[in-house]
Amino acid sequence: MKSKKKKELDWPVFIVSGGFLIAFIIISFVNSEMVGNAVDTLFTYASDLFGAYWQLLLLANFFIGLGLAVSRYGKVKLGRQDKPKYSYFGWVSMILVTLLASGGVFWAAAEPMYHYMDTPPLFGGGQFDNMNAAFAHAFMHWGFTAWAILGTLAVVVMMYVHYSKGYPLKPRGLLYPIFGEKIYGKSLLGSSADIFSIIATVAGTLGPLGFLGLQISYGLNHLFDVPNTLTVSIIVVLVLVGVAAISAATGVDRGIYHLSNYNVKFTILLAIIVLIIGPTMFIIDAFVGGTGFHLQNFFTMSMFRGDEGWLSSWTIFFWGWFIGYAPMLIVFISRISRGRTIRELVIAVSIVAPIVNNFWFSVVGGTGVFFERENPGSISDALNAGGMPASVMAITDQLPIGMVMGLGFLLVSIVFVATTTDTMSYTVAATITGNDHPKRWLRVFWAIIFGLTTVVILTIGEDSVTSIQNSIIITAVPVSLLLLPPLWNAPRIAKKMALEQGLIWQREMRKKVNKFDS
């Protein structure tokens, strides 16, 4: 079906979102302290006012999605295509790298250790006390509800609006069931939805890109004595962006698809090696025990409201981060999921991806906790002194062939970041044009912009990286409102598509006949 709106560059969205980004960088360069204070203040307000809403939003999104998957609507095929274009492994790989790049290696190593060092307040606090609670909190933050918000109900709505109704592939499409065609016209609300989604994505991408540039520089210094300087960090970022630009230029079907496949395969290989040469049974115990503890306390952990300071630093921070990312990943997952059923989509995004993610956290974080228990201070001292990259290197130092393992983790980090950057470049380009095949120059342009902007931020200072990463929590506020309507629109659309595809025709017609006869 041809689009009902011409797919061309949306200049107002392009100018406003790009202008905001440039203004943010200039003001940060002039007065980074003022920007940091403003971001921190708004961050606190966003966390206090919207934290509880975000917790309920993620829970509702997850359970309504599961309900659709197990219902008769689960067989509905998405995207007006009979067969999927990508293999199941390739499809899930592209989904996995989108969020794992943010957690990838460094959060996987550090978060279980942080919670082990200082037990979350829900379970009484205390240091080096509750291993199951430590892994359960990491699993919650990177688990079922976190993944579900990135691409289940909203993808059902987006794919219907784009592939069935023929409207451009833009975040504003999530509002189509409410406002109709006018949301795609000269709509302030529609443009605002796209602009906030792009700004949130930029903040969510630049923060990790700059942060991981610094982390990889640390790793190179630790492994090869490469000077840990600003220049090296900038070179690292430029190399990452170069890889991302090449991948984005070759498109989803070639660059992003193959890079994601190779990355997931290499990560699986790395996990198997650590399982063999590392504390195998302890890793398995951490995964099983942490998962059991998580499921047993699922609702208590998900709706905990007892310590605002801890929540804003952990749960609400992650929820805001993932919500901010969501519209662009919804666009991307919509693009790669044609021919899949609602059941396949929900299970892949809400169940399969989180389980894989949590097992990876068990492998990396579990190894760290094991060595910490065996030799107190071997990991925690490095984490306290040097942050997350230091913990990764401390873990690999404890393993046999530590140098090789450290290099392996470094390579995984590099490719994870590159795959996220090329994915985000593609989705921003798709959003601005409304076309799921945006022009190559526009995809490369955004990859380069991500890189150059990150370099500018790095030259301002590490505090600016933290500020722009925290700013995603602020932009997540309007984005979270955009993700609310799919809670009721996705089931309505699923029913409509089930009727169109003849999946529930007989049952519905029988009801109508019986009602008429009575």
Side-chain angles (χ1 to χ4, degrees):
M1 179 180 291
K2 294 183 179 180
S3 173
K4 297 180 181 180
K5 291 287 178 182
K6 188 178 179 181
K7 295 173 181 176
E8 57 186 15
L9 191 62
D10 191 330
W11 285 105
V13 171
F14 181 71
I15 291 170
V16 174
S17 57
F20 178 87
L21 172 63
I22 293 169
F24 185 93
I25 300 303
I26 292 173
I27 296 172
S28 296
F29 191 80
V30 173
N31 193 337
S32 59
E33 184 178 353
M34 180 192 72
V35 171
N37 291 336
V39 168
D40 290 343
T41 301
L42 292 172
F43 175 95
T44 301
Y45 280 122
S47 175
D48 291 347
L49 297 176
F50 289 86
Y53 162 59
W54 291 349
Q55 288 172 277
L56 294 174
L57 175 66
L58 265 69
L59 276 175
N61 183 80
F62 174 65
F63 282 108
I64 293 172
L66 282 185
L68 273 185
V70 300
S71 74
R72 54 184 174 161
Y73 305 136
K75 294 182 179 179
V76 168
K77 286 198 172 183
L78 300 166
R80 297 175 67 88
Q81 187 167 295
D82 290 334
K83 292 183 179 180
K85 184 173 186 177
Y86 307 106
S87 69
Y88 191 84
F89 180 85
W91 177 56
V92 173
S93 294
M94 287 191 284
I95 293 171
L96 271 170
V97 298
T98 54
L99 181 59
L100 256 182
S102 306
V105 173
F106 298 105
W107 278 110
E111 187 173 354
M113 180 60 66
Y114 274 128
H115 296 321
Y116 176 64
M117 290 163 56
D118 191 2
T119 302
L122 175 60
F123 298 105
Q127 291 189 328
F128 303 100
D129 181 45
N130 194 330
M131 187 184 82
N132 284 339
F135 281 93
H137 272 83
F139 293 170
M140 180 187 73
H141 292 153
W142 297 84
F144 303 115
T145 55
W147 281 90
I149 200 67
L150 296 174
T152 52
L153 297 181
V155 167
V156 172
V157 175
M158 185 71 76
M159 293 187 75
Y160 174 75
V161 172
H162 181 59
Y163 293 110
S164 296
K165 304 303 289 184
Y167 289 97
L169 193 64
K170 297 186 175 188
R172 69 176 73 190
L174 298 178
L175 299 175
Y176 172 83
I178 300 175
F179 298 100
E181 183 178 357
K182 62 184 179 182
I183 199 68
Y184 279 98
K186 293 182 179 179
S187 167
L188 178 61
L189 182 61
S191 295
S192 298
D194 292 345
I195 289 167
F196 279 117
S197 297
I198 291 172
I199 291 172
T201 301
V202 169
T205 304
L206 294 183
L209 186 56
F211 174 72
L212 286 169
L214 296 171
Q215 315 306 313
I216 293 169
S217 296
Y218 179 96
L220 291 172
N221 175 258
H222 181 84
L223 292 172
F224 305 111
D225 290 327
V226 174
N228 187 11
T229 63
L230 174 63
T231 302
V232 172
S233 297
I234 289 173
I235 292 172
V236 167
V237 169
L238 293 178
V239 170
L240 290 173
V241 170
V243 174
I246 294 170
S247 178
T250 52
V252 175
D253 297 340
R254 295 171 61 191
I256 295 175
Y257 177 77
H258 290 301
L259 195 59
S260 299
N261 267 261
Y262 294 144
N263 195 23
V264 171
K265 288 176 182 176
F266 185 56
T267 303
I268 291 171
L269 175 62
L270 200 60
I272 291 172
I273 293 173
V274 174
L275 270 174
I276 294 172
I277 68 175
T280 308
M281 293 311 301
F282 187 89
I283 290 171
I284 294 172
D285 287 346
F287 176 68
V288 174
T291 300
F293 198 91
H294 177 208
L295 295 177
Q296 182 182 0
N297 298 279
F298 183 84
F299 288 102
T300 307
M301 294 167 62
S302 298
M303 294 190 285
F304 174 65
R305 297 294 304 163
D307 188 321
E308 285 289 342
W310 186 89
L311 278 172
S312 63
S313 298
W314 288 103
T315 305
I316 304 306
F317 170 77
F318 282 125
W319 285 181
W321 194 359
F322 302 151
I323 287 170
Y325 258 144
M328 289 301 141
L329 293 185
I330 290 162
V331 168
F332 180 68
I333 294 174
S334 297
R335 165 67 174 80
I336 64 174
S337 299
R338 296 188 71 184
R340 297 288 174 184
T341 64
I342 290 178
R343 184 170 298 147
E344 287 177 308
L345 173 72
V346 172
I347 290 175
V349 178
S350 296
I351 305 297
V352 175
I355 290 174
V356 173
N357 179 100
N358 292 348
F359 188 72
W360 172 249
F361 268 57
S362 301
V363 170
V364 184
T367 302
V369 172
F370 172 81
F371 288 130
E372 179 65 29
R373 286 162 67 99
E374 292 292 306
N375 182 16
S378 59
I379 310 298
S380 59
D381 287 349
L383 181 59
N384 287 327
M388 289 191 283
S391 68
V392 176
M393 293 300 119
I395 290 169
T396 58
D397 284 346
Q398 310 291 320
L399 290 167
I401 56 171
M403 176 80 166
V404 175
M405 296 308 298
L407 182 60
F409 277 102
L410 209 59
L411 287 174
V412 164
S413 301
I414 290 170
V415 183
F416 266 134
V417 179
T419 49
T420 288
T421 305
D422 65 11
T423 300
M424 292 302 102
S425 302
Y426 163 81
T427 50
V428 172
T431 294
I432 290 174
T433 60
N435 189 343
D436 50 3
H437 294 283
K439 295 290 186 181
R440 179 179 297 176
W441 73 265
L442 194 58
R443 303 195 301 265
V444 174
F445 170 80
W446 275 102
I448 293 171
I449 287 297
F450 281 144
L452 295 180
T453 308
T454 304
V455 167
V456 173
I457 293 170
L458 286 174
T459 60
I460 298 171
E462 290 187 41
D463 289 342
S464 296
V465 177
T466 303
S467 291
I468 199 167
Q469 185 161 313
N470 286 345
S471 67
I472 195 174
I473 311 304
I474 302 163
T475 56
V477 170
V479 171
S480 67
L481 301 177
L482 186 65
L483 298 177
L484 183 61
L487 296 185
W488 59 85
N489 284 327
R492 288 176 53 243
I493 287 172
K495 180 179 179 180
K496 183 178 177 63
M497 287 194 290
L499 282 166
E500 291 173 352
Q501 294 176 21
L503 297 175
I504 59 172
W505 182 84
Q506 291 181 342
R507 185 178 301 183
E508 295 297 326
M509 285 300 294
R510 191 178 300 117
K511 286 182 180 179
K512 290 179 180 179
V513 169
N514 291 339
K515 184 177 180 181
F516 178 79
D517 290 342
S518 63

